[in-house]
Amino acid sequence: MKRGVKPSKQPSGSIRIISGRWRGSKLPVANVQGLRPTTDRNKETLFNWLMPYVQNARCLDVFAGSGGLGFEALSRYAKHVDFIELDKAAVTNIQQNLVKLKAENELAKVITGNALQVLPGLKQQFDIIFLDPPFHQNLLPETLRLIHEHQVLAPSGIIYIECEQQAADYVVPVHWQLLKERQGGQLCARLYQN
């Protein structure tokens, strides 16, 4: 989730679910300064990469923002998604969209807080982690350290990392295998397996 100026409570647009049980659904997005939901094109590429892994997976959307990646995973029959988000307007928006999709309770949980403080306290491991931090805040190195140190990613689990090109020189644990990579414009997207 990207932050800055105090958010307005008015929706600033929508995200679209591309495939699965809620295919074509449009969900409103909170008007939060700097929020940049993953584009449909990037989402489509990512979920093509994730096709063998999503069904019945426990997922974690670390800097959830609009929740677009987590909603797409749920639509494609992920077992459960935990969303971590700091901005209260974005949290409320995710919760409202979960109710709209009838996906609250057993399918999803929204955790309000700073991801760097939340990650060490998580009591379970996740099959898929979405890691798309706010740009220009240098959050990747510490976030990756916490995920590895606290074993948040399950053995053989998958982690998706999306960042600006300038931040793409991050270091991952040596045993993580790079499965897929896409670079273009200002974005770098990579998929690793634990």
Side-chain angles (χ1 to χ4, degrees):
M1 171 67 232
K2 308 11 165 196
R3 285 152 261 303
V5 180
K6 184 171 180 163
S8 140
K9 299 203 188 249
Q10 298 302 315
S12 68
S14 63
I15 53 173
R16 184 175 66 91
I17 296 178
I18 296 170
S19 189
R21 65 179 126 191
W22 303 314
R23 179 182 183 168
S25 296
K26 288 192 174 178
L27 303 174
V29 174
N31 186 6
V32 175
Q33 178 68 28
L35 179 70
R36 45 170 194 85
T38 301
T39 64
D40 282 0
R41 182 177 173 198
N42 288 347
K43 244 192 316 196
E44 192 161 5
T45 298
L46 167 60
F47 281 90
N48 283 339
W49 291 352
L50 289 176
M51 198 176 300
Y53 310 103
V54 174
Q55 192 165 344
N56 293 318
R58 291 195 66 84
C59 303
L60 178 65
D61 195 345
V62 178
F63 298 94
S66 67
L69 297 179
F71 288 126
E72 191 71 37
L74 286 172
S75 183
R76 294 170 189 242
Y77 301 97
K79 182 177 186 175
H80 183 90
V81 175
D82 281 3
F83 298 86
I84 302 174
E85 178 50 49
L86 179 62
D87 186 276
K88 287 183 173 53
V91 165
T92 299
N93 183 240
I94 292 169
Q95 291 168 331
Q96 289 170 344
N97 284 333
L98 286 168
V99 170
K100 179 179 178 179
L101 295 170
K102 297 180 176 57
E104 63 271 39
N105 304 326
E106 75 281 352
L107 284 180
K109 179 168 78 171
V110 184
I111 303 166
T112 307
N114 180 323
L116 300 180
Q117 295 168 350
V118 172
L119 286 168
L122 294 174
K123 303 294 186 214
Q124 62 190 4
Q125 294 183 316
F126 294 87
D127 305 306
I128 299 174
I129 296 176
F130 301 108
L131 189 51
D132 178 11
F135 279 8
H136 312 298
Q137 294 190 28
N138 197 32
L139 291 167
L140 268 179
E142 181 65 4
T143 306
L144 289 167
R145 183 188 72 76
L146 291 169
I147 287 170
H148 177 61
E149 189 175 294
H150 295 277
Q151 300 179 12
V152 180
L153 185 60
S156 301
I158 302 292
I159 185 165
Y160 170 73
I161 302 172
E162 183 177 306
C163 65
E164 69 273 30
Q165 288 284 7
Q166 306 91 299
D169 60 351
Y170 56 81
V171 177
V172 299
V174 291
H175 63 279
W176 285 11
Q177 179 186 357
L178 179 64
L179 300 180
K180 301 282 184 181
E181 180 176 25
R182 179 177 176 183
Q183 298 193 42
Q186 62 174 353
L187 281 181
C188 174
R190 294 179 180 137
L191 198 68
Y192 294 90
Q193 185 164 29
N194 191 3

